[in-house]
Amino acid sequence: MGFRTIEDLCAELEEKRSKALAGGGKEAVEKQKARERIAQLLDPGSFVEIDEFVTHRCNNFGLDGKKILGDGVVTGWGTIEGRKVFVFSQDFTVFGGSLGEEDAAKICKVMDMAMQMGCPVIGINDSGGARIQEAVDALNGYGKIFKRNTMASGVIPQFSVIMGPTAGGAVYSPALTDFIFMVDKESVMHITGPEVIRAVTGEAITSEELGGAEAHNTVSGVAHFKAKDEAECFEQVRKVLSYLPLNNLDDAPVKATGDSPDRADISLRELVPVNPNKGYDVHEVLTKVFDDGEFTEVQAGFAKNIVTGYARIGGRSVGVIANNADVKAGCLDIDASDKASRFIRHCDAFNLPVVTFVDVPGYLPGTDQERGGIIRKGAKLLYAYSEATVPLISVIMRKAYGGAYLAMSSKSLGADVVLAWPQAEIAVMGAEGAASIVFKKEINDAADPSAKRLEKIDEYREAFANPYKAAERGYVDRVIMPEETRKAIFTALESIVSKRDTRPSKKHGVIPH
């Protein structure tokens, strides 16, 4: 018996590759292609696939006669704008994208490689959940993935792209990653489906209503981005990645810009009304301050009273937090506190300076807020800013009242540079409420209490509702013209970018829940 020729061996390899590419069969592949999605995401021709010949080893329920090369997930690495990333893409044409033991092993392998190489990992999720035929082996596979998600958290960026149904245990891995991207009318995430809910509670609801992109981007806050189609979704992934370092020991890429750091925009004087009771859209402020008018918002549809996202100044990436006076007057509430505190911790983990724009009248009052846990949720924001060791710059544009002032990156929580506009009001509360308390007796004893109250409001506002008392104490470092904001932030960032902050040795803190 002689050796086979190299031509025969190569022909065999080509045949196996063709079978692996075929996935769940020709008709199924025409509906969905895991590899096509990877090709859309990565730089052209950069994808290197691994483990394309892996198959399951389950013999239960006739599965031994249904072995498909690749076994439900495509894995490998490639580049985005020349930067290496690791990727896996679940193939719904193979057993409905259900996760089996070998699928989990393939995903765990690319996650391990991503950690070892210090590169982001991007998961394209399209799965019906655990593969029932593999029982506890499938569940064990999920557990191994969850463990790796947790170990990678804060070490490498982890993105989850939802491109179809993602149910049961399949939703927990995305929930452990940094960002979840969803496609409108295509992506679905839920623990229990409509049928189970109907059987248990009698409630009739569709999958889209229960766990579609709109629901998770506006109501639950589970997702961070919503796209109209897959192409836009992948563009969002590439955009966010462009702001981030490859890992927690790396620096974020610096983008060349022709936008001078000294640029002043006089229109900022008019954008934020001096009257603290008038609203405005803080997005307009952000686009006028940062490079090239560019701001990439995170969780744009959720807790709109606070804005989070990425921008650049002088080409350098920063995280941005801003109260939005157009929604709930910019008050902090349960959802806003959750949203902002997590984003701050993400920026801190990946060494992105945080720039905070402050215009906050306080915490949103109400029984629902109190009983819903605004105390513990609000404390998360205090914790996140206090814990952060990255450069922290604050710009107090207008209102900064009470505990909410402290929570929004105040000097006492560790802000490195605090800037304030001339109309900034830094006080325990607004002038109207403060005057009614401080001058209560004088107002009540006056011949005309209403006139006396207005007089005392003006007196209090003149004395305390300004940035200068705080500046006298050193709680504000500089009072600046609104048009000087861009230059002042850039100058501050240049001076503190090398900040080093040591903390007490401990295993980890216990963040309010």
Side-chain angles (χ1 to χ4, degrees):
M1 178 178 174
F3 291 106
R4 297 171 64 187
T5 67
I6 187 62
E7 285 75 15
D8 287 342
L9 294 170
C10 288
E12 182 183 27
L13 174 57
E14 287 288 357
E15 183 181 355
K16 287 183 177 292
R17 282 180 173 176
S18 296
K19 286 183 179 179
L21 288 171
K26 182 180 178 182
E27 290 184 5
V29 169
E30 286 174 354
K31 295 178 182 178
Q32 293 183 346
K33 291 186 178 179
R35 290 177 181 84
E36 282 188 1
R37 287 170 169 166
I38 291 175
Q40 276 188 282
L41 172 66
L42 302 181
D43 294 338
S46 69
F47 180 56
V48 177
E49 184 173 352
I50 60 173
D51 289 340
E52 62 184 316
F53 300 143
V54 166
T55 58
H56 69 77
R57 57 179 185 173
C58 177
N59 297 319
N60 301 327
F61 307 106
L63 213 60
D64 53 333
K66 298 178 181 178
K67 291 184 181 287
I68 299 173
L69 297 182
D71 199 41
V73 65
V74 179
T75 57
W77 65 82
T79 62
I80 293 178
E81 294 184 357
R83 306 166 77 211
K84 183 180 285 188
V85 299
F86 286 80
V87 62
F88 66 86
S89 181
Q90 292 175 322
D91 188 350
F92 198 74
T93 70
V94 179
F95 306 120
S98 60
L99 184 116
E101 176 189 24
E102 294 304 323
D103 295 284
K106 289 178 67 173
I107 292 171
C108 287
K109 181 190 282 191
V110 294
M111 293 179 74
D112 289 341
M113 293 177 73
M115 283 281 281
Q116 290 163 357
M117 308 305 171
C119 297
V121 62
I122 301 168
I124 301 174
N125 295 263
D126 192 355
S127 170
R131 191 172 298 170
I132 297 172
Q133 297 92 329
E134 296 196 27
V136 73
D137 286 335
L139 295 177
N140 183 61
Y142 271 130
K144 289 182 175 182
I145 293 171
F146 301 160
K147 178 73 170 179
R148 282 165 172 80
N149 285 137
T150 306
M151 293 299 100
S153 180
V155 180
I156 56 173
Q158 300 180 83
F159 292 1
S160 294
V161 184
I162 313 300
M163 289 291 182
T166 306
V171 302
Y172 283 120
S173 176
L176 289 167
T177 61
D178 296 305
F179 297 114
I180 294 175
F181 300 77
M182 298 185 75
V183 179
D184 197 28
K185 304 297 189 296
E186 179 178 327
S187 308
V188 174
M189 298 177 71
H190 49 65
I191 299 294
T192 54
E195 295 79 10
V196 175
I197 290 174
R198 188 179 298 110
V200 175
T201 70
E203 180 185 4
I205 191 169
T206 67
S207 285
E208 180 65 27
E209 292 169 335
L210 179 63
E214 180 69 15
H216 284 313
N217 274 272
T218 61
V219 182
S220 72
V222 166
H224 302 84
F225 297 90
K226 182 180 77 170
K228 66 178 183 292
D229 54 33
E230 293 191 6
E232 183 180 68
C233 186
F234 289 133
E235 184 55 40
Q236 290 173 340
V237 173
R238 288 191 290 268
K239 184 75 169 177
V240 173
L241 187 62
S242 74
Y243 290 100
L244 300 178
L246 294 178
N247 57 69
N248 64 334
L249 300 179
D250 197 10
D251 292 324
V254 176
K255 182 180 178 181
T257 176
D259 196 352
S260 170
D262 295 336
R263 173 175 56 80
D265 196 323
I266 197 71
S267 68
L268 287 170
R269 290 193 182 192
E270 305 301 324
L271 269 180
V272 181
V274 172
N275 184 342
N277 298 317
K278 288 188 176 181
Y280 61 94
D281 186 357
V282 77
H283 294 87
E284 294 184 41
V285 175
L286 303 180
T287 55
K288 288 183 181 296
V289 168
F290 292 108
D291 287 359
D292 306 307
E294 191 174 284
F295 173 67
T296 299
E297 190 167 0
V298 176
Q299 286 192 296
F302 178 68
K304 293 183 178 182
N305 43 324
I306 202 160
V307 173
T308 58
Y310 300 107
R312 292 185 180 88
I313 192 154
R316 192 188 303 276
S317 295
V318 296
V320 179
I321 311 282
N323 303 116
N324 189 12
D326 250 4
V327 181
K328 299 179 182 177
C331 282
L332 294 176
D333 63 2
I334 289 170
D335 288 342
S337 299
D338 256 342
K339 172 181 170 180
S341 57
R342 187 179 189 275
F343 186 73
I344 293 161
R345 299 190 88 204
H346 167 80
C347 291
D348 189 49
F350 291 105
N351 306 310
L352 294 187
V354 177
V355 182
T356 305
F357 289 79
V358 184
D359 187 356
V360 63
Y363 288 92
L364 186 68
T367 304
D368 290 345
Q369 288 293 307
E370 294 293 345
R371 292 182 177 177
I374 186 58
I375 294 173
R376 57 188 172 88
K377 296 294 187 179
K380 289 178 74 171
L381 193 55
L382 297 166
Y383 193 104
Y385 273 121
S386 299
E387 179 189 47
T389 60
V390 293
L392 300 175
I393 299 170
S394 300
V395 181
I396 302 175
M397 300 179 293
R398 199 171 59 173
K399 300 183 297 293
Y401 297 158
Y405 149 66
L406 295 174
M408 290 298 296
S409 193
S410 60
K411 200 74 171 177
S412 48
L413 292 193
D416 298 292
V417 177
V418 178
L419 309 168
W421 289 4
Q423 65 263 48
E425 299 183 4
I426 305 165
V428 174
M429 63 178 66
E432 290 83 357
S436 298
I437 294 170
V438 174
F439 303 111
K440 181 179 180 180
K441 188 175 187 308
E442 292 179 55
I443 292 170
N444 290 339
D445 291 346
D448 186 346
S450 295
K452 177 60 73 171
R453 181 173 180 272
L454 292 175
E455 175 191 326
K456 290 302 181 181
I457 288 172
D458 287 341
E459 182 180 334
Y460 183 88
R461 182 174 286 120
E462 185 68 27
F464 296 104
N466 59 65
Y468 302 109
K469 288 292 181 183
E472 287 177 13
R473 295 290 193 269
Y475 306 140
V476 167
D477 296 295
R478 295 182 62 199
V479 181
I480 62 171
M481 304 291 188
E483 64 268 24
E484 296 172 336
T485 303
R486 174 174 167 81
K487 182 178 180 180
I489 293 173
F490 176 78
T491 302
L493 187 57
E494 287 292 289
S495 66
I496 62 175
V497 72
S498 58
K499 172 185 175 182
R500 294 291 181 269
D501 195 356
T502 57
R503 297 297 169 91
S505 177
K506 58 182 175 181
K507 188 173 183 180
H508 56 71
V510 182
I511 190 169
H513 62 97

